Amino acid sequence: MVQPIREFPLENGLSLRIFDHTRHYFGDFHHVKLELTCEIPILSAHFAESADKEAACRLLGDAVVYRRTVEQMGVPSAEVQSTVERLIGNFTHHALPYLSTPDFSRRFVRAEFERARKRKSRPIGYLPGSHD
């Protein structure tokens, strides 16, 4: 199991974890790839009706995961660590304020619930963009 290289506790009680999936791919070059995740428990406070929370848990489980990947190809060996730090810095500068808002978990859980309900309601064999 891959261990996080860094963890950021957020002001709203969540934690952002960063996993490094960097790999060597040719000569002196690397593919720097970071996976950023934030697990968000599904809570009653996210929904006006308890039935919606129960339905969300049936479709999604006890939690949903915010997941983003940031990456850069063609990084020389000598620049791997500075590239990792730059990618982390860019993400935390631009996205951490959004992830830290008090309302983020409620909005994200409800959006994931709506996506899951739409996927579930599609007929078997449905292809997006195809209409009869």
Side-chain angles (χ1 to χ4, degrees), residues 27-40:
D28 186 44
F29 297 103
H30 293 75
H31 175 203
V32 175
K33 182 177 179 181
L34 304 176
E35 178 185 34
L36 303 104
T37 66
C38 182
E39 185 173 301
I40 304 157

Side-chain angles (χ1 to χ4, degrees), residues 117-131:
R117 285 196 334 192
K118 285 179 183 175
R119 280 192 306 266
K120 186 176 187 220
S121 68
R122 288 183 182 158
I124 295 175
Y126 172 81
L127 295 173
S130 66
H131 304 285

Side-chain angles (χ1 to χ4, degrees), residues 6 26 28 66:
R6 199 155 313 155
F26 177 77
D28 186 44
Y66 169 90

Side-chain angles (χ1 to χ4, degrees), residues 3-17:
Q3 296 295 314
I5 60 167
R6 199 155 313 155
E7 187 168 341
F8 292 91
L10 306 177
E11 294 172 14
N12 58 12
L14 301 173
S15 288
L16 176 73
R17 292 183 178 91

Side-chain angles (χ1 to χ4, degrees), residues 16 22 28 37 53 59 63 69 74-75 86 90 99 104 116 121 130:
L16 176 73
T22 297
D28 186 44
T37 66
K53 188 233 182 207
L59 283 173
T69 301
V75 178
R86 182 177 46 75
N90 286 344
L99 298 176
F104 170 73
S121 68
S130 66

